[in-house]
Amino acid sequence: QVQLVESGGGLVQAGASLRLSCAASGRTFRSYAVGWFRQAPGKEREFVAAITFSGERTTYADSVKGRFTISRDNAENKVYLQMNSLKPEDTGVYYCAARVMAYSIHAREYDYWGQGTQVTVSS
């Protein structure tokens, strides 16, 4: 069982940066791949980035590639999403999710979810 808590969201202007954190409980967190997803009002939840349980491999949505960086610190049971050069279209609720072993870009394949943190980017 893994419990996830996101933090770090906020209201920023376009071009600014934010770093989101996903804090996990559970001694086996290092066995879980983690993904970040976001959901804008009236839209479906979409994949943003994911990282393997070891942190050796990452993958990103094309819309954030080159601007966002996912990383993890298994000693601290945390996963981070560094977001640079934010755009208004990055606005939404950001969720972290976990699943055993391999990461996935599909939300339905994740077993555990946090409650989300709001990111609002003004133009």
Side-chain angles (χ1 to χ4, degrees):
Q1 189 80 5
V2 175
Q3 293 184 325
L4 305 171
V5 178
E6 302 94 336
S7 61
L11 171 62
V12 297
Q13 291 189 330
S17 298
L18 281 175
R19 189 174 83 153
L20 305 184
S21 296
C22 174
S25 64
R27 293 178 296 172
T28 60
F29 178 65
R30 64 188 64 209
S31 299
Y32 289 80
V34 173
W36 282 97
F37 293 80
R38 65 187 181 190
Q39 188 165 19
K43 294 189 176 181
E44 291 187 355
R45 193 168 297 189
E46 66 172 353
F47 171 73
V48 175
I51 190 166
T52 55
F53 65 92
S54 65
E56 290 182 354
R57 287 191 296 140
T58 59
T59 189
Y60 298 90
D62 287 343
S63 59
V64 307
K65 204 171 291 183
R67 299 188 298 123
F68 291 11
T69 302
I70 188 172
S71 61
R72 68 188 298 161
D73 183 341
N74 283 341
E76 296 290 329
N77 275 9
K78 288 187 177 179
V79 174
Y80 302 99
L81 185 67
Q82 178 67 44
M83 306 187 296
N84 299 328
S85 303
L86 282 162
K87 304 175 181 180
E89 50 264 43
D90 294 319
T91 294
V93 178
Y94 282 69
Y95 301 89
C96 65
R99 69 188 301 266
V100 175
M101 301 304 287
Y103 61 50
S104 171
I105 64 171
H106 303 293
R108 64 179 181 273
E109 295 183 354
Y110 284 81
D111 301 306
Y112 303 100
W113 290 83
Q115 83 290 346
T117 185
Q118 177 71 46
V119 172
T120 304
V121 184
S122 62
S123 58

